């Protein structure tokens, strides 16, 4: 088996993994669970970029997908879900008033 | 096909699907086990790819992943476990 065929087989495997994890991430509803699934998707994308001989893209994808995106998502989930009774009431009243021309 | 690339294909075929499966089921804390195993597997896959393609510069990606993987796991445990740890803390503060 030639080297080019071997690399194409590896790229096909990595593409199948990316498709599976991306579908799972899109079908997940809870944002905290979705953050974990997004981290796995970032790892699969890193493997795909490395097999496509783009190690710098894989490096930046690794930094963004493994560290920064889960941190931002989990910080946002914490901020949104903090139990604050009066503020939630005010938000609920303000929610219906989007009728500006 | 290189022996290194063959090992990469075996790891991608037999190693990664259980990780994706484990990271797609259960609660967020249960998914962390799949993510952690996937991090270790991907580090090995990247090192094998660098050896199989004959490019030693690809090793840097595996090095960065080996540094960032435990840091990401710490971020997840800090923010996912924080919610369940808040409740005893507030009750203790209320008693005191």
């Amino acid at each position: 088996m030639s080297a080019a065929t071997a690399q194409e087989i590896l790229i096909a495997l990595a593409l199948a993994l990316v498709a599976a994890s991306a579908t799972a991430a899109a079908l997940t509803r809870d944002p905290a669970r979705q953050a974990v699934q997004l981290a796995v998707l970032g790892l699969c994308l890193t493997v795909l970029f490395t097999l496509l001989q783009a190690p710098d893209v894989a490096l930046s994808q690794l930094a963004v997908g493994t560290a920064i995106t889960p941190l931002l998502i989990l910080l946002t989930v914490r901020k949104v879900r903090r139990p604050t009774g009066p503020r939630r009431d005010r938000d609920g009243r303000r929610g219906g008033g989007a009728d500006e021309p | 096909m290189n022996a290194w690339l063959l090992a990469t294909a075996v790891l991608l075929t037999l190693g990664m699907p259980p990780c994706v499966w484990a990271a797609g089921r259960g609660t967020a804390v249960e998914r962390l086990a799949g993510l952690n195993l996937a991090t270790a597997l991907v580090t090995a896959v990247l090192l094998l790819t660098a050896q199989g393609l004959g490019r030693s510069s690809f090793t840097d990606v595996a090095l960065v992943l080996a540094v960032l993987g435990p840091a990401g796991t710490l971020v997840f445990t800090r923010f996912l476990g924080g919610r369940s740890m808040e409740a005893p803390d507030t009750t203790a503060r209320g008693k005191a």
Side-chain angles (χ1 to χ4, degrees):
Chain A
M1 191 184 295
S2 70
T5 315
Q7 286 189 33
E8 281 177 1
I9 289 174
L10 285 177
I11 289 171
L13 284 174
L15 264 179
L17 279 176
V18 166
S21 53
T23 308
L27 291 179
T28 310
R29 305 310 302 172
D30 185 22
R33 300 178 184 187
Q34 213 169 17
V36 185
Q37 191 68 42
L38 272 180
V40 175
L41 173 62
L43 285 177
C44 295
L45 277 175
T46 305
V47 173
L48 178 64
F49 289 148
T50 309
L51 290 173
L52 287 172
Q53 313 236 356
D56 42 358
V57 187
L59 206 58
S60 50
Q61 166 66 39
L62 197 60
V64 170
T66 308
I68 298 180
T69 308
L71 181 68
L72 287 182
I73 290 178
L74 289 176
L75 274 175
T76 311
V77 166
R78 253 174 98 88
K79 197 75 176 175
V80 166
R81 282 188 183 164
R82 184 162 293 171
T84 50
R87 193 182 296 169
R88 200 184 300 155
D89 265 1
R90 216 188 303 146
D91 279 351
R93 273 183 228 141
R94 203 192 295 154
D99 48 3
E100 289 182 11
Chain B
M1 189 179 232
N2 217 336
W4 307 102
L5 290 183
L6 187 66
T8 305
V10 168
L11 272 188
L12 279 184
T13 311
L14 298 179
M16 280 301 282
C19 297
V20 176
W21 180 257
R25 296 185 62 84
T27 64
V29 180
E30 290 170 6
R31 288 170 190 233
L32 270 185
L35 174 64
N36 221 345
L37 182 57
T39 305
L41 266 179
V42 166
T43 309
V45 162
L46 290 175
L47 283 174
L48 287 170
T49 307
Q51 195 66 247
L53 296 180
R55 303 207 174 189
S56 57
S57 64
F58 283 16
T59 315
D60 294 345
V61 186
L63 177 66
V64 170
L65 178 58
V67 172
L68 276 183
T73 306
L74 279 180
V75 166
F76 272 117
T77 45
R78 171 70 181 82
F79 284 107
L80 290 179
R83 238 175 293 150
S84 58
M85 281 170 64
E86 259 171 21
D89 192 23
T90 49
T91 53
R93 212 178 290 155
K95 276 174 197 168

